[in-house]
Amino acid sequence: MAEFSLDSSFIPALHKPAALLPVARYRDQLLYVIETFPVTIVIGQTGSGKTTQIPQFLERAGWCADGKIIGVTQPRRVAATTVALRVADEVGCEVGKEVGYSIRFEDVTSSATRIKFLTDGLLIREALVDPLLSRYSVIMVDEAHERSISTDILLGLLKKIRRKRPDLRIIISSATLQAEDFLDFFTISSEGKATTRTADAEEGVAKIVSLEGRTFPIDILHLAAPTENYVDKAIDTVFDIHTHEGPGDILVFLTGREEIDTAMRAVSEKVSQGGDQYAGFQALPLYAGLSSEEQMHVFDKAPEGRRKVVFSTNIAEASITIDGIVFVVDCGFVKLRAYNPRTGIETLTATPVSKASASQRAGRAGRTKPGKCFRLFTEDDFHNLPEANTPEIQRSNLAPIVLQLKALGIDNVVRFDYLSSPPSEFMSKALELLYSLGALDEYAKLTRPLGLRMAELAVEPMMAKTLLSAPSYGCLSEMLTISAMTSFGGSIWFYHDGEQKAMERSRRKFAADEGDHLTLLNAYSAFVTKGKKEARFCHENHINYKTMTQAVSIRAQLKRYLERFGVDTSESLASHQGESELKLKAENIRRCLTSGYFAHAARMQPDGTFRNVEGDMTMHAHPSSLLFNRKADWVIFHEVMETGDKTFIRDITKIEKGWLLEAAPEFYKLSDKRAELP
Ligand code: CDP
Ligand code: MG
C-alpha cells in the first residue's frame, strides 16, 4: 500500500474516477443553469453522479464563499450517512469536517462544514429556528421522485422562502421523469393552479437539466405462475443464478428487516449443508436499522472467486448505488405507510410496487454490463401494477406534519401550497388528534407552551405529549428512558442462529408484568447501573450494544431539550424503593403513557386477539412483545405493522379503561362508538 501512495496522482482503485460519471459532462451546463435560474430540476438515472458530484461542483465553483453552506436532503437517514461518508472520502476529509451529515439525534457537522447531507425532515425542523434557512446558499432536494411526505412539505416551504430570498438556489433532483410536475409547481402561482400551465407560468424561475446516462441492456424474466412465498422463491432464485449464470453480483429486493434476516439465515444454512455448488457466496444485508459501518460493507468488493449477494429493502432502488450488480431479484413488494382515517391508525404494509419502481429496480442490473432481472411475479401481475406510487402525503398520518407547519407559523394548513393535496378527512383527523393531545386549541391555533414544545421535541406528537406530561406524573426520568428506547423502530434484542430460546430467557430477566415499555426501562436501567454501559453485559443478555449506546445518547439529547424548556430534570436516584413504591411508580408511568397514547388503545378479546376502540379492527400482539400469548385487558401500543394478512401491534403496555377517559375525555366523546368503550 505504502509504495503506491507515493504518487498522489494515482487514482485509488476503490473509486471509479468521477470524470467518467455521466454528470461530469454536464458540469458547466449545470453550473450555468444554477447560477441563472432560482430553481434547477436535474433528472438523471440512478448512479449518474447527482448526489455525490453536484455538491462538489458547487463548492468548487464558490457557492460556499461567504461562509454559507450547501445542503443536500435525503428522504432516508441511511442515504444521508452513507453518501456523506462517500463524499468526505472523495474530498479527502474526515466526515464532520468539510463534508458532514445531520440526521435526527446525530449531528456530524462542525463549523468547517460546507457540504451538509441531512434528512428532509430535519431541514424542516431547522426552519423552526431559521425560517428563511439563511445558512444555506444552495439546497438540493434529492430523490424528489420518491415524494416522501417531508420532501413534499419541504418543496412547499422552499417555494415560500424563495420569494423572500432571491439569492437562494434550489436544486431538485429526481431519478424518474416527473420533471414537469416539479417545474409546474415552482412556476405556477398557487392561485393560478387551476388554469393551464402556459397561461401564467412565471418565466425564468425554473429549468430542467436532463443527464443522459448509458445503461446496458437488461433481460427481464417473469415467473410463469405466481409464488406463495417470495422469500423462499428469492433464495431458490439466488442459488439458480449461482449455478447457471456467469459471474456478477446479485441484488435481491425484499420488504424489510425480518425477511432479510430470514433470507440471510437460509443462505448460510444452505451453504453450510450444501457442498460445493453452494460455496462461494458472500451474503450481506442492507436495511435502515444497520449501523453506518455495517452498511458500508455492501460497497466492498467480494473476495476473489466469491459472489456477493445483497439482500436489501428498497433503499437500493435509488438512494444507494452498489457497483458490480449484474443480477437483480425483485420480490415485487415494498413496505409503505398506509393510514386509515377512520381508525386513526397508520401501518407499515407490504404493498405491490409500482411499474416505475419495478423498472428502476431492474435498472440496477445494467450499470456495468448487460444484466438480468428476475421478477418474482408474473407478466400479467406486472401489467396490473399502478404506474407510480401514491405520494406519501396521501397515505400518512398528518398529525406530525400539521404540528410542524403550525409551529412554522403556517396557520391555514389547508391552504398550504402542496405538491399534491392531502385528503381532507386525513387533515381533519390530524387536527382532531392534535386538539385532543392539547397541542391545538379550539380555534386550531398552536397552544403555548405545550403545542410549541411538542413541535420542537424531536419525537412524534404522541410521544412528545407523553414526555411533556411526565413531570406531573413524577416519572420524567423513566419516560426519558422509555422515549429513547422506543425511538429506533427496531428491537434491542438480537440473537444468532438457533439462539432464539436463549434470547427469550434473557429477556425474561427484565420482563415487567405491565408490558413492553417497563421491560425496556428495566433493561436500560440494568445496562447503565449493573452493566456499567459495557458491551459484555449486552452480549450476555442478547441485547444490541450499539442500540443501547445510541439510546444513552438519545436520552441525553431529549433531556437537553426539556432543560431548554425550563423543565426541572434533576434525577433523584432513590436506590432503596419498597415494593409498594415501585408499583405506584409503574402505575404512574402507565398513566403517563396513556396521556399520550390514548388514541392507540385496544382491548384483548377472549380469543387472545386485540380489538381497537371502534371495535372493527383485529390486531395481534407481535411475537417480539412480552404480551404475545399472555393475558391482558386494556392496553395501549406504540406501533402497528401489517405482515401478510395480519395486523400486529408492538411495544404494548397494560392500562385501565378509566384512564382513557381521564386522558382524553373529548376524544372519547367525539365518536358515539368510542363513548361506549366496548
Ligand atoms: O445520485 P446518483 O444516483 O445520480 O449517483 P451517485 O449516488 O452520486 O453515485 C455515483 C457513483 O458513486 C456510483 O457509481 C456509485 O456506485 C458510487 N458510490 C459508491 O461507490 N459508494 C457510495 N457510498 C456512493 C456512491
Ligand atoms: Mg442519488
Side-chain angles (χ1 to χ4, degrees):
M1 190 69 208
E3 288 121 8
F4 292 102
S5 53
L6 291 176
D7 182 351
S8 59
S9 69
F10 275 112
I11 298 160
L14 173 74
H15 292 166
K16 176 168 171 180
L20 294 183
L21 291 169
V23 74
R25 284 185 290 128
Y26 293 86
R27 184 177 162 276
D28 293 343
Q29 188 192 344
L30 273 169
L31 289 173
Y32 170 77
V33 173
I34 294 166
E35 176 91 45
T36 320
F37 293 83
V39 181
T40 305
I41 298 154
V42 184
I43 305 296
Q45 283 196 4
T46 305
S48 45
K50 301 183 296 298
T51 311
T52 56
Q53 305 308 314
I54 295 177
Q56 298 186 63
F57 295 165
L58 292 166
E59 200 270 337
R60 277 184 242 130
W63 283 93
C64 300
D66 45 4
K68 290 231 160 57
I69 59 178
I70 298 161
V72 184
T73 70
Q74 298 288 324
R76 295 196 180 83
R77 297 159 55 99
V78 223
T81 55
T82 50
V83 163
L85 288 171
R86 166 71 177 206
V87 176
D89 208 31
E90 286 186 18
V91 168
C93 73
E94 221 178 286
V95 70
K97 294 282 166 54
E98 286 79 9
V99 181
Y101 68 86
S102 195
I103 58 180
R104 190 174 68 136
F105 297 128
E106 200 182 338
D107 182 22
V108 187
T109 61
S110 63
S111 56
T113 302
R114 296 159 152 254
I115 299 177
K116 172 167 161 184
F117 291 91
L118 72 174
T119 53
D120 38 25
L122 204 76
L123 189 59
I124 297 176
R125 230 165 228 300
E126 284 189 7
L128 284 178
V129 269
D130 179 9
L132 294 181
L133 297 173
S134 56
R135 300 176 58 205
Y136 298 92
S137 56
V138 184
I139 291 172
M140 171 158 150
V141 181
D142 204 0
E143 310 290 346
H145 65 275
E146 282 219 9
R147 302 291 308 276
S148 82
I149 189 165
S150 298
T151 296
D152 275 19
I153 296 293
L154 182 60
L155 290 173
L157 289 176
L158 288 173
K159 187 172 170 182
K160 272 173 101 79
I161 291 173
R162 194 186 74 73
R163 288 188 207 113
K164 301 201 180 117
R165 269 197 66 193
D167 59 311
L168 176 69
R169 287 299 177 264
I170 299 166
I171 302 172
I172 298 165
S173 93
S174 168
T176 47
L177 300 165
Q178 284 184 347
E180 298 287 326
D181 295 348
F182 297 122
L183 187 78
D184 288 353
F185 181 69
F186 277 96
T187 50
I188 299 176
S189 69
S190 51
E191 293 78 36
K193 249 186 183 168
T195 64
T196 56
R197 182 155 70 93
T198 41
D200 50 1
E202 210 179 324
E203 292 288 318
V205 174
K207 189 160 173 70
I208 299 174
V209 178
S210 302
L211 314 176
E212 268 172 50
R214 56 207 148 93
T215 44
F216 295 90
I218 297 153
D219 253 347
I220 296 183
L221 298 101
H222 294 92
L223 287 185
T227 170
E228 293 269 294
N229 182 331
Y230 60 70
V231 180
D232 288 351
K233 191 76 194 169
I235 295 158
D236 293 346
T237 308
V238 163
F239 284 104
D240 280 350
I241 294 171
H242 189 47
T243 42
H244 296 113
E245 301 280 346
D249 295 337
I250 310 175
L251 173 62
V252 185
F253 286 100
L254 295 173
T255 73
R257 179 184 180 156
E258 290 177 17
E259 286 174 10
I260 291 169
D261 286 345
T262 309
M264 293 285 295
R265 274 199 288 274
V267 168
S268 76
E269 261 166 43
K270 278 213 168 164
V271 168
S272 65
Q273 307 159 351
D276 283 351
Q277 88 250 40
Y278 292 140
F281 265 118
Q282 186 182 37
L284 294 164
L286 181 60
Y287 51 78
L290 294 175
S291 70
S292 351
E293 289 141 55
E294 290 168 310
Q295 282 157 25
M296 296 314 275
H297 289 314
V298 303
F299 295 108
D300 298 342
K301 257 182 113 69
E304 194 55 37
R306 291 245 214 149
R307 194 195 290 273
K308 181 161 84 178
V309 186
V310 180
F311 291 98
S312 174
T313 59
N314 72 328
I315 298 176
E317 188 179 301
S319 312
I320 291 179
T321 301
I322 307 162
D323 288 328
I325 299 293
V326 179
F327 306 101
V328 164
V329 179
D330 179 6
C331 78
F333 285 84
V334 58
K335 262 207 183 123
L336 290 182
R337 286 207 225 183
Y339 180 70
N340 180 336
R342 205 174 33 74
T343 56
I345 288 176
E346 188 180 64
T347 47
L348 266 181
T349 306
T351 318
V353 294
S354 63
K355 284 198 183 110
S357 282
S359 315
Q360 176 72 23
R361 287 179 175 189
R364 319 284 63 224
R367 295 199 7 93
T368 36
K369 59 178 180 174
K372 278 191 183 175
C373 172
F374 298 81
R375 288 185 175 153
L376 305 181
F377 45 94
T378 66
E379 200 162 356
D380 278 352
D381 288 341
F382 175 76
H383 290 299
N384 291 329
L385 292 176
E387 292 299 324
N389 288 324
T390 319
E392 200 176 39
I393 200 165
Q394 296 177 336
R395 47 184 171 80
S396 302
N397 168 18
L398 299 176
I401 234 60
V402 169
L403 185 61
Q404 293 288 313
L405 289 175
K406 292 269 178 187
L408 287 168
I410 296 160
D411 249 329
N412 194 340
V413 287
V414 177
R415 302 250 354 236
F416 182 70
D417 202 350
Y418 298 99
L419 203 52
S420 306
S421 300
S424 59
E425 325 135 69
F426 284 36
M427 192 53 91
S428 37
K429 198 74 185 185
L431 293 168
E432 184 200 338
L433 177 66
L434 291 171
Y435 170 69
S436 305
L437 287 168
L440 302 180
D441 65 17
E442 63 245 76
Y443 306 105
K445 282 239 184 298
L446 194 71
T447 58
R448 278 156 212 267
L450 181 61
L452 185 60
R453 288 177 178 177
M454 280 173 65
E456 286 175 9
L457 265 176
V459 291
E460 46 87 22
M462 296 199 285
M463 185 49 92
K465 171 66 186 300
T466 309
L467 256 184
L468 290 167
S469 43
S472 65
Y473 290 94
C475 59
L476 180 57
S477 169
E478 291 79 4
M479 274 322 305
L480 279 168
T481 302
I482 291 172
S483 182
M485 291 286 279
T486 51
S487 61
F488 316 104
S491 170
I492 62 158
W493 312 103
F494 85 100
Y495 57 95
H496 294 295
D497 293 348
E499 285 180 353
Q500 185 166 0
K501 284 268 163 326
M503 181 278 284
E504 279 166 13
R505 268 197 304 281
S506 300
R507 198 176 59 183
R508 228 169 290 145
K509 283 193 258 172
F510 306 102
D513 263 352
E514 293 88 348
D516 297 314
H517 294 97
L518 283 140
T519 304
L520 290 172
L521 177 63
N522 289 343
Y524 183 93
S525 309
F527 175 67
V528 296
T529 51
K530 284 185 230 129
K532 297 197 188 67
K533 302 189 186 172
E534 280 173 5
R536 217 181 108 195
F537 167 86
C538 291
H539 192 77
E540 287 166 2
N541 289 291
H542 296 92
I543 290 174
N544 188 330
Y545 175 66
K546 274 251 164 61
T547 311
M548 292 305 285
T549 49
Q550 245 177 306
V552 172
S553 145
I554 293 175
R555 188 182 185 284
Q557 293 183 50
L558 289 171
K559 191 171 165 185
R560 275 200 296 278
Y561 270 107
L562 295 179
E563 276 159 6
R564 254 192 283 132
F565 299 154
V567 174
D568 179 9
T569 57
S570 53
E571 313 195 23
S572 62
L573 278 176
S575 47
H576 291 292
Q577 284 189 322
E579 184 101 351
S580 61
E581 280 156 313
L582 284 175
K583 268 266 166 284
L584 186 67
K585 186 70 157 222
E587 178 174 326
N588 282 334
I589 294 170
R590 288 154 63 216
R591 282 176 183 270
C592 181
L593 280 165
T594 312
S595 76
Y597 283 87
F598 53 83
H600 273 184
R603 186 181 199 182
M604 191 181 265
Q605 304 300 303
D607 66 357
T609 63
F610 288 94
R611 202 70 68 74
N612 68 328
V613 177
E614 273 90 352
D616 50 4
M617 209 170 144
T618 303
M619 300 176 290
H620 303 260
H622 191 268
S624 70
S625 169
L626 216 77
L627 289 182
F628 179 66
N629 280 340
R630 288 217 204 169
K631 279 213 97 48
D633 188 20
W634 282 94
V635 298
I636 53 100
F637 54 89
H638 201 94
E639 221 186 349
V640 192
M641 295 188 312
E642 271 175 15
T643 310
D645 46 8
K646 271 189 171 178
T647 305
F648 292 101
I649 51 179
R650 227 164 65 163
D651 292 336
I652 310 172
T653 283
K654 296 180 186 172
I655 56 147
E656 311 259 323
K657 170 181 160 187
W659 301 348
L660 290 172
L661 295 165
E662 252 169 62
E666 308 252 4
F667 184 80
Y668 281 99
K669 251 189 273 156
L670 284 170
S671 129
D672 304 339
K673 271 194 193 157
R674 283 192 204 130
E676 290 166 21
L677 284 187

